[in-house]
Amino acid sequence: MSYWDLHEPSDGLYDFSLLDEQLAMITKAGASATLCVGMRQPRWPETHVPEWSLTITTDERRAAYMAYHQLVIERYKGYDCIQSWQLENEFWNKSFGLHNDFSRARLKEEFKMLRSLDPERPIIM
């Protein structure tokens, strides 16, 4: 999982050490993985938005998220152990989660960015 709140705990301060370690273990084992990207990912509270992002406007939060989304794809698209991407998790399930953003426009923007940055790898939705 590429949890935004875990990897950018402060605005502009990134820490990918845990995900790097997990992907290194997968690579060493000769295994493969599907890396989940998107604002909504498995595990409560589903959207994993950092606390600092809740103090800015919705438009600012979306822009900050899209910058993070691009950074994750660019960082990990060269990893051979990643066989596919999962874009969002149960995106339309409105029955649980916190800070949900069910914007079809954002989902399309995420998909377009992912496809343009890694045109060959499958995308699961």
Side-chain angles (χ1 to χ4, degrees), residues 7-108:
H7 300 131
E8 191 179 6
S10 299
D11 188 10
L13 178 66
Y14 300 98
D15 180 2
F16 291 102
S17 57
L18 182 59
L19 187 52
D20 289 346
E21 182 181 329
Q22 291 169 336
L23 291 172
M25 289 175 19
I26 291 167
T27 299
K28 184 177 180 182
S32 60
T34 295
L35 182 58
C36 190
V37 294
M39 193 177 286
R40 185 177 171 111
Q41 297 194 26
R43 193 176 54 89
W44 185 261
E46 302 302 316
T47 50
H48 307 280
V49 296
E51 287 296 318
W52 63 264
S53 75
L54 298 175
T55 65
I56 57 180
T57 69
T58 301
D59 288 342
E60 291 169 330
R61 183 170 39 259
R62 190 171 291 169
Y65 172 72
M66 291 307 295
Y68 169 76
H69 182 67
Q70 181 174 348
L71 180 65
V72 169
I73 297 164
E74 289 177 340
R75 182 180 184 92
Y76 295 109
K77 69 182 180 180
Y79 280 60
D80 291 335
C81 69
I82 298 174
Q83 69 177 7
S84 59
W85 301 97
Q86 178 183 348
L87 180 59
E88 300 289 342
N89 180 63
E90 300 175 340
F91 184 80
W92 298 112
N93 188 341
K94 297 179 181 182
S95 64
F96 60 89
L98 298 175
H99 314 297
N100 291 314
D101 175 358
F102 298 107
S103 166
R104 184 180 298 269
R106 180 180 56 79
L107 181 62
K108 287 179 179 181

